Amino acid sequence: WAKAAGRGQWAVYDPERSARDIARSALVAGLPAALDRGEFVLHYQPIVSLLEGSMLAVEALVRWEHPELGLIGPDRFIGLAEETGLIVRLGEWVLRQACHDAERWWREFPDARLVVSVNLAARQADDPTIVETVADALHTSGLPADLLQLELTESAVMGSADEPLRSLYRLAALGVRLAVDDFGTGYSNLAYLRRLPIHCLKLAGPFVEGIRADNAADHRDERIVDALVRLAHALELWVTAEAVETGEQAERLRALRCDTGQGRFFGAPAPAGVITARLRGDVSV
Ligand code: C2E
Ligand code: MG
Ligand code: MG
Ligand code: MG
């Protein structure tokens, strides 16, 4: 009878919905074992100087090499890992692996001083042990603190209380860099910018997407980027534009004085070996 109620009104049984729920709960159930079996891998995406074209940093982006489903992107499991709390363990693995890889790059290519940028979920940043975990990851790997950047979203920066997370001051005191990820898409007020030891703002993809010639009639995204870059520079912060897909966008962003860019135009996320080859000066990658 549920079917007779018409499309979109299936109160009793919705095969599509339940298939999705089953797939979702199968993924959730598989996460802890996947971590134990070492099925997660890090890909790295270059963050490039818009002025000089040199690779200054790489962002660590986690992927799941699922034995049956193949490579699964973080959009499909990070949310689940946050809900279940597994993000704290997964995030710690990401942090340690990223520090380990970055220390190798630092040893092999000391002049490049390549920074590794690691995403911190709100739940991780909120965890009371985060400062010791980061300090230990640095100590164990031997990576200099200033070659590690931590990316937090605006809501993670603000935490659950109405003030910036206390642990961020202690993280900054370790000497690591702090970046605000997806800047301009959250709902938080900007008060934290007055007080927090932040080093970099990462401008969210949608603003960058609006920068193109066929959008000439509407310069709003360009004006927003212009204003945000000025705001960042007035506060002595670096600016990274995310999701740079074309040379034209890179050129416009450079004209707007944006410092660095990240996106397919400069290189897609790739295994560590691809970054090593780039540092070696292999232009074919
Ligand atoms: P994010 O931190 O904002 O990362 C940037 C995303 O933009 C990445 O998606 C990257 O692959 C994608 N991207 C790269 N180039 C382009 C481009 O030219 N155009 C567009 N439109 N997008 C581009 P990805 O790898 O799927 O990661 C998605 C999100 O998952 C990340 O967004 C981040 O929030 C989260 N994430 C990834 N790895 C981790 C992690 O280790 N820990 C935590 N907590 N979150 C992670
Ligand atoms: Mg994705
Ligand atoms: Mg990020
Ligand atoms: Mg982002």
Side-chain angles (χ1 to χ4, degrees):
W1 61 270
K3 189 166 183 172
R7 279 195 168 274
Q9 297 183 33
W10 292 6
V12 174
Y13 177 66
D14 175 344
E16 260 174 52
R17 173 129 195 279
S18 65
R20 220 174 34 235
D21 285 350
I22 289 165
R24 202 178 131 89
S25 49
L27 277 188
V28 177
L31 280 171
L35 191 53
D36 295 335
R37 282 196 299 265
E39 289 174 6
F40 291 97
V41 290
L42 291 186
H43 281 190
Y44 292 96
Q45 184 169 38
I47 297 174
V48 170
S49 160
L50 289 169
L51 216 54
E52 290 163 13
S54 49
M55 179 168 63
L56 301 181
V58 289
E59 180 174 2
L61 294 160
V62 68
R63 276 92 179 89
W64 181 358
E65 275 179 343
H66 195 285
E68 281 128 46
L69 302 175
L71 203 64
I72 303 181
D75 289 338
R76 284 190 55 203
F77 60 83
I78 286 289
L80 297 175
E82 291 203 49
E83 283 168 33
T84 58
L86 188 77
I87 192 69
V88 176
R89 261 182 74 208
L90 176 59
E92 181 171 343
W93 176 82
V94 168
L95 176 71
R96 290 182 183 280
Q97 183 64 42
C99 287
H100 174 77
D101 287 340
E103 194 275 340
R104 274 195 357 243
W105 289 320
W106 175 60
R107 236 178 326 111
E108 202 175 335
F109 310 97
D111 296 341
R113 292 202 68 78
L114 191 73
V115 169
V116 72
S117 197
V118 173
N119 293 284
L120 270 201
R123 215 157 152 166
Q124 269 179 287
D126 237 341
D127 193 283
T129 64
I130 186 64
V131 182
E132 291 101 274
T133 302
V134 170
D136 189 66
L138 289 169
H139 180 77
T140 306
S141 64
L143 182 71
D146 64 337
L147 297 186
L148 175 63
Q149 173 167 276
L150 300 173
E151 299 188 9
L152 296 99
T153 61
E154 295 178 278
S155 50
V157 165
M158 293 305 288
S160 40
D162 199 21
E163 58 172 298
L165 287 179
R166 295 230 132 265
S167 55
L168 295 184
Y169 297 92
R170 294 171 56 214
L171 285 171
L174 291 177
V176 305
R177 298 163 50 94
L178 299 176
V180 180
D181 203 356
D182 303 328
F183 184 72
T185 59
Y187 293 100
S188 50
N189 66 52
L190 294 178
Y192 67 88
L193 288 177
R194 291 158 49 211
R195 289 181 277 153
L196 266 189
I198 287 175
H199 299 78
C200 174
L201 300 182
K202 296 191 76 174
L203 299 186
F207 299 125
V208 177
E209 201 189 321
I211 297 179
R212 20 170 241 270
D214 64 0
N215 210 14
D218 185 353
H219 288 295
R220 258 177 286 185
D221 283 319
E222 202 157 317
R223 287 184 190 150
I224 290 172
V225 171
D226 184 28
L228 293 180
V229 170
R230 287 170 198 274
L231 169 69
H233 287 172
L235 298 170
E236 297 177 343
L237 307 176
W238 282 74
V239 188
T240 299
E242 298 186 337
V244 182
E245 296 179 351
T246 68
E248 183 196 358
Q249 286 172 333
E251 193 42 57
R252 286 303 303 146
L253 288 162
R254 191 164 74 94
L256 293 169
R257 305 275 184 272
C258 190
D259 305 289
T260 51
Q262 174 182 357
R264 284 197 285 276
F265 177 69
F266 297 110
V274 175
I275 301 301
T276 308
R278 248 174 109 139
L279 286 167
R280 211 169 266 143
D282 186 344
V283 286
S284 66
V285 293

